[in-house]
Amino acid sequence: MKISESKYQNSTADKAISCLRKSKQPLKIKELARIMNVNRTAYPKFRRTVKEIFKQGLIIKAGGNGYSAPKITDHIKHILEEFKVRINFPKLAIKECEKIDPFISKKEIRKRRNLTELTCFTIDPEDAKDFDDAVSIEKIENGGFLLGVHIADVDHYVNKNEHIDKQALSRGTSIYLPDRVIPMLPSKLSENLCSLKPDENRLALTVMIKIDAQGNITEYEIFESIIKSKARLSYESAEELIFSNNKHTEISSAIKTMYKLSRILDKKRLDRGYIDFDVPEVKISLDENGKVFDIQKKRRLSSHVLIEEFMLLANQCVAEYITKKKIPMIYRIHETPDDIKTKDFALLAKTLDYRFDQNKSEDPKYIQRFLHRTNGEKHHVLISHTLLTCMQKAIYSTKNVGHFGLALKCYTHFTSPIRRYPDLIIHRILKNKFKNRIDNLTEIAGIASEREQIAVKIERETIKLKQVEFMKNKVGDIFKGVISGVQPYGLFVELNDTLAEGLIHVSALKNDYYTFSEKQFALVGRRTKRRFHLGDPVRVQVVKIDVNKRLIDFILVQDKTGKRKNTY
């Protein structure tokens, strides 16, 4: 088959399957062609293509000569197919991976600084398999600290322009889903050779940072190393060690010192103007069959903050180091907020009796203080959510414009080369493998940004799927929530406990006719003038669940007077 024919077939298959899924009954080829606007000239080729994709099992025959899309049995796989994500690695990449020698030669060890006796360890989620980073710490003179951030040396095993490398670039990032991971690298690398497993010698790139008692960096050094992690901690077990007085080991002592440093760094970050929108996330618990048995809001632990602070610091040091050498690189940038959106936000804030100075919207400290001022107040959710939508997306770029959200002039990603391709590129730049130049850095930054945004969308859709599945047996149940979106056609409500989101259609709002007020971000009753604002607390009843479409329908729970009932 010619390449052009293959592309036509793939495109036609996607469109045909989409049409068949939307159709309530099987369609004959002529009916399908009419819906897809296939003209007479193109019809013979279209007919051949439909029969070919039927042979491949992408569509099935149902009801005489009609065709339909197969029933969805694996909804997450279906989401991955929607976004055209390749799950398995091609044979050439697998063969290349199989040839990698796991043995670390004496010559390689001599090239590196030997840190195998150093007390370092990893802190990751309980179910993690790929361990990019390990940390170590020592107390030094005048109340200072020597922080070690040790990152897996993926580049040692993945050579540029080889099949594994090309796959890693095309994927851009690992995708973390409730029941599986779509890795950027084959499991032999991501879960074994590159992963910083406990009691195993591993190759690393180390950033040793001297920090004074006030949290200022006084000196840092970046070098190739060999390490041996002394423990694999989860965030929960690390949290227990931080606040436990019973255990007195080398690791518990180290983690208490790390906690002390992380608090100093966290305060310094806030003083600098770091913006924390405090967006809640959920933890989805699955049984052995992949069914959801519990959904809870994730708790932000001190151990999370600790690792976050140390990774930020290492990324800062690396960005500064390469920038000072005037070597082209990939930055992690976050531009200032959108002017038009901040102007609209200022008008919204005014309707809520807040004064937002748009002229100061490019100052992260001002944004931070404004958010802090609304904390705990009635409209905090509305303010925080709407202000977040004014922000630009963080992306990768060869042009350094700083990172607005972190309030940093120079930033990059270095600490996760197992799961992020730009980090691997930064490792190669540090090793000077590009002899001070890379021709396609801009292209790599663009691909990485695009793949990251696709991964985020997939992760959101799979979480939404699991939330809908969890609610499947709860039709008729009543829940507390907040209005998370207001549209002319209805209100989106996010439930407090599971963060599952559903729609109250405007037609389900009784006793009045409601219209959308764009200026007030509200639905307003024409007769009663009752308003439903973004962020308002409500009680809702589940009336319909559609797992295939990942949708939940609610109705508003009202008291006997017909008013919405508020139990807050």
Side-chain angles (χ1 to χ4, degrees), residues 172-294:
T173 181
S174 294
I175 305 172
Y176 294 87
L177 308 178
D179 66 344
R180 71 195 78 179
V181 176
I182 312 301
M184 185 181 81
L185 298 169
S187 59
K188 181 178 178 179
L189 293 170
S190 61
E191 297 178 18
N192 192 5
L193 293 182
C194 297
S195 189
L196 306 181
K197 292 182 171 184
D199 302 318
E200 297 275 356
N201 285 347
R202 287 290 184 261
L203 303 179
L205 259 67
T206 289
V207 185
M208 279 292 186
I209 313 166
K210 282 188 178 179
I211 306 159
D212 67 22
Q214 288 72 47
N216 301 306
I217 299 171
T218 59
E219 190 182 332
Y220 62 84
E221 188 182 7
I222 304 167
F223 54 87
E224 293 175 81
S225 62
I226 179 166
I227 66 166
K228 184 188 283 188
S229 171
K230 301 301 183 287
R232 179 267 194 265
L233 302 179
S234 66
Y235 284 112
E236 290 75 16
S237 61
E239 189 80 359
E240 190 179 330
L241 287 174
I242 288 170
F243 297 105
S244 171
N245 293 320
N246 300 328
K247 296 179 180 179
H248 300 284
T249 64
E250 205 170 5
I251 289 172
S252 67
S253 175
I255 206 162
K256 284 177 170 63
T257 305
M258 287 178 182
Y259 172 62
K260 182 181 177 181
L261 173 59
S262 72
R263 292 190 66 183
I264 295 168
L265 294 174
D266 191 43
K267 182 181 182 303
K268 195 170 179 65
R269 176 165 50 146
L270 291 171
D271 290 344
R272 189 175 69 226
Y274 162 78
I275 304 168
D276 185 3
F277 285 99
D278 192 24
V279 179
E281 296 180 4
V282 291
K283 177 178 173 58
I284 296 173
S285 301
L286 306 176
D287 64 19
E288 57 190 14
N289 298 314
K291 302 294 182 186
V292 186
F293 67 84
D294 192 26

Side-chain angles (χ1 to χ4, degrees), residues 48-62 66-68:
R48 287 196 305 273
T49 300
V50 171
K51 288 185 175 292
E52 183 61 36
I53 61 177
F54 163 69
K55 287 179 185 176
Q56 293 173 20
L58 298 174
I59 58 176
I60 58 174
K61 275 197 172 182
Y67 293 90
S68 64

Side-chain angles (χ1 to χ4, degrees), residues 426-471:
I426 293 298
H427 281 226
R428 288 173 179 165
I429 291 170
L430 287 170
K431 291 180 173 185
N432 204 23
K433 285 199 168 183
F434 295 103
K435 305 302 178 190
N436 294 351
R437 65 188 294 263
I438 312 174
D439 294 328
N440 61 339
L441 266 186
T442 303
E443 183 186 356
I444 291 169
I447 292 169
S449 296
E450 182 186 344
R451 297 312 303 172
E452 178 190 31
Q453 287 164 28
I454 289 170
V456 168
K457 288 176 184 175
I458 292 169
E459 287 164 7
R460 283 178 184 161
E461 286 301 315
T462 54
I463 288 169
K464 189 193 295 184
L465 167 69
K466 291 301 176 184
Q467 287 168 323
V468 172
E469 286 179 351
F470 185 64
M471 299 296 291

Side-chain angles (χ1 to χ4, degrees), residues 323-476:
T323 302
K324 280 183 177 178
K325 287 186 171 291
K326 297 183 178 178
I327 300 172
M329 66 176 285
I330 294 178
Y331 294 92
R332 179 66 168 178
I333 66 166
H334 185 219
E335 296 184 80
T336 53
D338 183 282
D339 285 342
I340 296 171
K341 288 181 178 179
T342 53
K343 185 179 179 181
D344 291 342
F345 176 77
L347 293 173
L348 168 67
K350 190 176 180 181
T351 66
L352 301 173
D353 296 325
Y354 292 100
R355 184 179 179 276
F356 180 81
D357 188 345
Q358 193 198 352
N359 295 323
K360 295 180 179 178
S361 64
E362 293 190 7
D363 178 3
K365 274 192 175 183
Y366 177 74
I367 302 281
Q368 183 202 71
R369 286 196 298 270
F370 183 84
L371 280 172
H372 184 71
R373 199 162 73 241
T374 69
N375 203 15
E377 296 187 7
K378 178 184 175 183
H379 296 294
H380 176 70
V381 173
L382 167 60
I383 292 287
S384 182
H385 173 87
T386 314
L387 194 50
L388 179 60
T389 63
C390 297
M391 298 294 127
Q392 308 272 19
K393 283 186 171 70
I395 61 169
Y396 297 103
S397 175
T398 53
K399 295 177 181 177
N400 180 28
V401 298
H403 197 295
F404 181 78
L406 294 175
L408 290 171
K409 292 180 181 178
C410 181
Y411 191 65
T412 193
H413 274 168
F414 155 79
T415 54
S416 298
I418 291 176
R419 63 182 179 89
R420 289 189 308 227
Y421 194 78
D423 302 52
L424 177 55
I425 291 294
I426 293 298
H427 281 226
R428 288 173 179 165
I429 291 170
L430 287 170
K431 291 180 173 185
N432 204 23
K433 285 199 168 183
F434 295 103
K435 305 302 178 190
N436 294 351
R437 65 188 294 263
I438 312 174
D439 294 328
N440 61 339
L441 266 186
T442 303
E443 183 186 356
I444 291 169
I447 292 169
S449 296
E450 182 186 344
R451 297 312 303 172
E452 178 190 31
Q453 287 164 28
I454 289 170
V456 168
K457 288 176 184 175
I458 292 169
E459 287 164 7
R460 283 178 184 161
E461 286 301 315
T462 54
I463 288 169
K464 189 193 295 184
L465 167 69
K466 291 301 176 184
Q467 287 168 323
V468 172
E469 286 179 351
F470 185 64
M471 299 296 291
K472 190 167 58 176
N473 300 322
K474 294 174 175 54
V475 173

